């Protein structure tokens, strides 16, 4: 498969189509990004690399990091995890409060904000130095020592995180948050602030294309079955109330973030990361989804 040729062809086609998305501005620091940025990076399980555009520029991966916090929490808690968070698609926006009241504080899945806050609480309970230990975990599985949090973005979100504060308080009232709210929120905002390039993102997620083994640390990060399950959760919940549409158009498990990044996994083949900051109405990268739809169409390959 000539990935370089296909990636370049689609990216060039998209340069000439209108971008109807809008950069996220509810986190003030995110709105300062140059919205014309566009990058793609594909890493195969044989460690071959193909890219286009701004693939080596760091951006805020935001909710994409929720898959990494979930992976670590799953490793630490195993099946006990599912007592506190579900595995069902929510069909609602990433920061919605609606279902939490009727679901007595148990989030539908770990990839919506409420679910990621519960996962953050679990990690705060397990880890001695939560922020330090977590970033070291990400560095280990990716083999990239320079991956880090962005304090500027974390502080900006902390200053404007009213909905997340509402979500965590509601869950605390139901007893599904065990630690001090400020400590969990600080961990969560830092988690969302992690910066990576498209290349780094595709490398970091490779363990989900290799059934749980990090090709960089050569360690098993997840059991084969748990790796399958995380891919299944991404397939059903990775794009919130657009998860069906992403599955329908692209046909790969994936995860988006409001920084405009998307990572998609083809188990046993590759991981592809796309970055384009303008978002559609559901909070997912407008051109990122268009690119991936064209990519699986041109390559005639998806998991289905
Ligand atoms: O908590 C928030 O709202 C953001 N830090 C992350 C949201 C996000 O990336 C949703 N993804 N599309």
């Amino acid at each position: 498969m000539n990935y370089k040729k296909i990636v370049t062809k689609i990216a060039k086609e998209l340069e000439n189509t209108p971008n109807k998305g809008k950069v996220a501005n509810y986190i003030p620091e995110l709105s300062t990004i140059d919205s014309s940025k566009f990058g793609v990076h594909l890493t195969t399980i044989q460690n071959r690399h193909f890219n286009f555009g701004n693939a080596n520029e760091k951006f805020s991966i935001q909710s994409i990091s929720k898959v990494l916090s979930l992976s670590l929490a799953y490793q630490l808690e195993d099946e006990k995890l599912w007592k506190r968070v579900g595995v069902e698609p929510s069909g609602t926006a990433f920061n919605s409060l609606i279902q939490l009241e009727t679901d007595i504080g148990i989030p539908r899945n770990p990839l919506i904000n409420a679910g990621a806050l519960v996962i953050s609480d679990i990690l705060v309970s397990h880890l001695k130095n939560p922020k330090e230990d977590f970033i070291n975990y990400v560095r280990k599985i990716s083999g990239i020592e320079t991956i880090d949090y962005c304090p500027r973005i974390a502080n900006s979100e902390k200053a404007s995180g009213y909905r997340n504060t509402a979500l965590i308080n509601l869950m605390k009232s139901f007893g599904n948050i065990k630690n001090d709210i400020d400590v969990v929120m600080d961990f969560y905002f830092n988690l969302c602030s992690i910066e990576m390039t498209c290349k780094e993102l595709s490398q970091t997620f490779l363990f989900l294309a290799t059934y749980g083994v990090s090709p960089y640390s050569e360690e098993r990060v997840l059991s084969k079955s748990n790796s399958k399950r995380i891919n299944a959760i991404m397939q059903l919940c990775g794009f919130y109330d657009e998860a069906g549409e992403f599955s329908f158009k692209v046909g790969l498990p994936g995860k988006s973030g409001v920084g405009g990044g998307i990572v998609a996994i083809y188990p046993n083949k590759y991981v592809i990361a796309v970055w384009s900051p303008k978002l559609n109405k559901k909070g997912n990268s407008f051109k990122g989804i268009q690119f991936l739809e064209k990519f699986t169409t041109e390559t005639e390959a998806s998991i289905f």
Side-chain angles (χ1 to χ4, degrees):
M1 186 76 69
N2 193 337
Y3 287 132
K4 178 71 188 171
K5 196 171 155 206
I6 295 171
V7 163
T8 308
K9 176 179 172 268
I10 300 169
K12 293 242 178 252
E13 265 170 39
L14 285 181
E15 275 173 4
N16 302 317
T17 64
N19 189 339
K20 296 190 189 132
K22 285 205 170 84
V23 171
N25 60 7
Y26 76 101
I27 301 170
E29 272 300 320
L30 285 183
S31 67
T32 62
I33 195 78
D34 173 353
S35 66
S36 67
K37 296 283 179 190
F38 183 87
V40 184
H41 193 101
L42 184 149
T43 305
T44 70
I45 59 159
Q46 294 85 11
N47 207 27
R48 298 187 66 212
H49 295 262
F50 306 90
N51 61 54
F52 180 89
N54 310 115
N56 286 308
E57 267 185 53
K58 284 193 186 281
F59 62 94
S60 188
I61 70 167
Q62 290 293 321
S63 287
I64 299 173
S65 60
K66 290 170 181 168
V67 180
L68 304 173
S69 51
L70 170 63
S71 298
L72 180 56
Y74 203 10
Q75 192 184 40
L76 294 168
E77 289 256 300
D78 210 27
E79 298 315 300
K80 225 170 78 193
L81 193 66
W82 310 121
K83 290 198 174 117
R84 292 181 56 190
V85 61
V87 294
E88 296 298 336
S90 68
T92 55
F94 61 88
N95 55 6
S96 174
L97 283 137
I98 291 172
Q99 291 159 341
L100 265 191
E101 172 81 355
T102 45
D103 292 348
I104 52 167
I106 310 285
R108 289 279 164 105
N109 68 67
L111 301 183
I112 49 175
N113 286 12
L117 285 163
V118 169
I119 297 293
S120 295
D121 185 52
I122 289 169
L123 291 179
V124 165
S125 296
H126 274 276
L127 304 175
K128 202 161 165 227
N129 301 300
K131 283 192 278 185
E132 200 184 320
D133 296 351
F134 182 73
I135 206 72
N136 284 336
Y137 165 79
V138 177
R139 288 171 182 161
K140 194 174 77 180
I141 60 175
S142 62
I144 307 165
E145 279 302 310
T146 51
I147 289 175
D148 216 340
Y149 303 113
C150 173
R152 188 173 45 81
I153 301 271
N155 288 333
S156 177
E157 188 169 5
K158 204 176 277 185
S160 57
Y162 306 113
R163 289 193 77 89
N164 285 322
T165 310
L167 287 166
I168 202 167
N169 275 286
L170 188 52
M171 291 190 290
K172 183 94 178 165
S173 79
F174 284 111
N176 200 17
I177 295 290
K178 312 293 177 196
N179 295 284
D180 183 79
I181 280 178
D182 291 339
V183 175
V184 181
M185 292 298 274
D186 180 61
F187 181 84
Y188 173 82
F189 290 138
N190 275 280
L191 169 74
C192 295
S193 83
I194 292 175
E195 292 185 318
M196 290 190 200
T197 66
C198 289
K199 179 170 196 253
E200 290 171 341
L201 195 52
S202 62
Q203 272 190 226
T204 305
F205 275 70
L206 216 55
F207 73 98
L208 289 165
T210 53
Y211 304 102
V213 178
S214 160
Y216 302 105
S217 67
E218 288 177 5
E219 271 174 58
R220 182 161 282 288
V221 181
L222 290 169
S223 70
K224 201 171 173 184
S225 161
N226 290 4
S227 168
K228 182 269 293 177
R229 288 176 167 192
I230 301 240
N231 275 299
I233 293 172
M234 277 194 282
Q235 189 75 44
L236 293 169
C237 315
F239 297 82
Y240 317 107
D241 42 346
E242 201 176 14
E245 187 112 355
F246 187 83
S247 224
F248 183 74
K249 288 180 170 166
V250 180
L252 296 175
K255 182 74 201 84
S256 64
V258 287
I262 298 180
V263 67
I265 289 132
Y266 197 134
N268 212 24
K269 271 197 175 63
Y270 63 72
V271 175
I272 187 163
V274 192
W275 173 47
S276 170
K278 286 190 180 178
L279 311 177
N280 65 18
K281 290 205 169 78
K282 309 278 185 178
N284 302 315
S285 174
F286 184 87
K287 287 225 169 174
I289 290 188
Q290 283 188 333
F291 177 89
L292 290 169
E293 180 182 6
K294 285 176 182 285
F295 186 75
T296 51
T297 305
E298 288 274 336
T299 53
E300 295 182 342
S302 82
I303 65 158
F304 298 107

